[in-house]
Amino acid sequence: MLKRLIEKLQLIRHASQRVLSMNKRNLDYIYPNNHRRNFPIADNKLLTKQILADSDVVMPETLATFSSFYELSNLADELNKHKSFVIKPAKGSGGGGILVFVDKEGDHWLTPGGKRYTLNAIKKQLTDIIFGVYSFGLSDVAIVEERIIQHPDITCLSPHGLADVRLITYQHRPVLCMARIPTLASDGKANLHQGAIGLGIDIKSGITKHAISLHDSITHHPDNNELLIGQSIPYWPQVVAMSCVAASKAPLKYLGIDISISESGPVLLEINVRPGLQIQNANQQGMRTLLEAIRHEVQNEY
Ligand SMILES: Nc1ncnc2c1ncn2[C@@H]1O[C@H](COP(=O)(O)OP(=O)(O)O)[C@@H](O)[C@H]1O
Ligand SMILES: [Mg+2]
C-alpha cells in the first residue's frame, strides 16, 4: 500500500519536473535568449513586419498608418477605398484597440458582430490609438491592414472568430503548438483566459490531439458541438516552416509565433517574447524535456 503511494508520488513528481514553470521559463529561457533591447521587434507590429519583409513570411498587408492626429485629415480618402479591413495599435497587446470591419453599408462600416461605425467613430478610435490609450500611455502608430479571412476548414472548428495557431520556437526550432479557438464565451476573441479553446496539435502530423476550455478537458466545441480532436490543420507543413523562418529572422531565441490560416495559406499575425504556459495543458505535455533536448542538440552541433 505504502509502496504504491510512494510510486504514485514519484510519478507525479516526475511529471511536474517536465512542466515548465513561469520562474524557469523566465530565468532559463526568456532572459538568456531574448535580450530586452530586441523586445520591440516583437512588441511593435510595424517592426515585426519590417524585419520579416524580405522573407517568405506572409503578414497582413499594411494599407495605411497614422502616427499623428494631423495625418488623419486624409482618412476618408484612405478608408473609402476599402470595405473590409482591420485597425490596430502597433504596440498593442491582448486584442486591445483592435477593430475588425467586414463590410460597408452606405456610410457605415460593419464589425463581425453587426456594430456600425461611421467615419468619425473610426477616427475617434484611431485618435485613441495614436495617443497611447492601448499602449500604456505611450504614443503609438495606428495601423490599417488587410483583414484575414480564415480557411473554411478552420471555420468549422472556429465558427465565432479568427482562430490562430500558437507555436513555441526555441533556437528557431518548433517545441509545442496549439490552436486558439474563439467561442461565444470568449466573445470571438482567441484569449484562453476569456474562454477560448486551447487545442493541442501534434507538430509532426498537424492533427489535433487534446483540447481545454478554461481548466477543463473537452472533446467538442461548446457552441456547435463540432469534434475538435483528430482534425487535420490545413497547410500544416507551411505553418511550421513559416514559424521557423520567422523565428530565425528575429534575434530572439524563445518565441511564441501566432499564425492564422487563410484559404491561400498561413499568415503571421504577431510574435511574442513572453509566450504563456497554458500550451502545456492544451497538449497535456510539459515543455521542459523538449526544451532541454533542443538545448543539447544545439550544443552538440557546435
Ligand atoms: N489582419 C487581421 N485580420 C483579421 N483579424 C485580425 C487581424 N489582425 C488581428 N485580428 C484579430 O485581432 C486579434 C488580435 O490580433 P493581434 O495582431 O494578435 O494583436 P494583439 O497583440 O493585440 O494580440 C486576432 O486574434 C484576430 O482575432
Ligand atoms: Mg495576439
Side-chain angles (χ1 to χ4, degrees), residues 134-154:
Y134 302 100
S135 14
F136 307 106
L138 305 166
S139 61
D140 203 350
V141 179
I143 307 172
V144 180
E145 72 180 17
E146 167 200 7
R147 177 171 76 96
I148 304 305
I149 301 171
Q150 78 185 342
H151 193 288
D153 290 1
I154 303 278

Side-chain angles (χ1 to χ4, degrees), residues 33-77:
N33 291 296
N34 297 345
H35 290 295
R36 197 156 248 291
R37 65 170 181 277
N38 294 321
F39 276 24
I41 291 170
D43 291 342
N44 182 330
K45 293 179 176 70
L46 286 173
L47 284 183
T48 311
K49 285 188 182 190
Q50 226 175 61
I51 211 154
L52 298 176
D54 66 346
S55 71
D56 293 338
V57 176
V58 178
M59 288 189 73
E61 188 192 343
T62 302
L63 303 173
T65 58
F66 298 95
S67 46
S68 77
F69 185 68
Y70 302 103
E71 287 175 15
L72 291 172
S73 52
N74 67 357
L75 185 64
D77 293 344

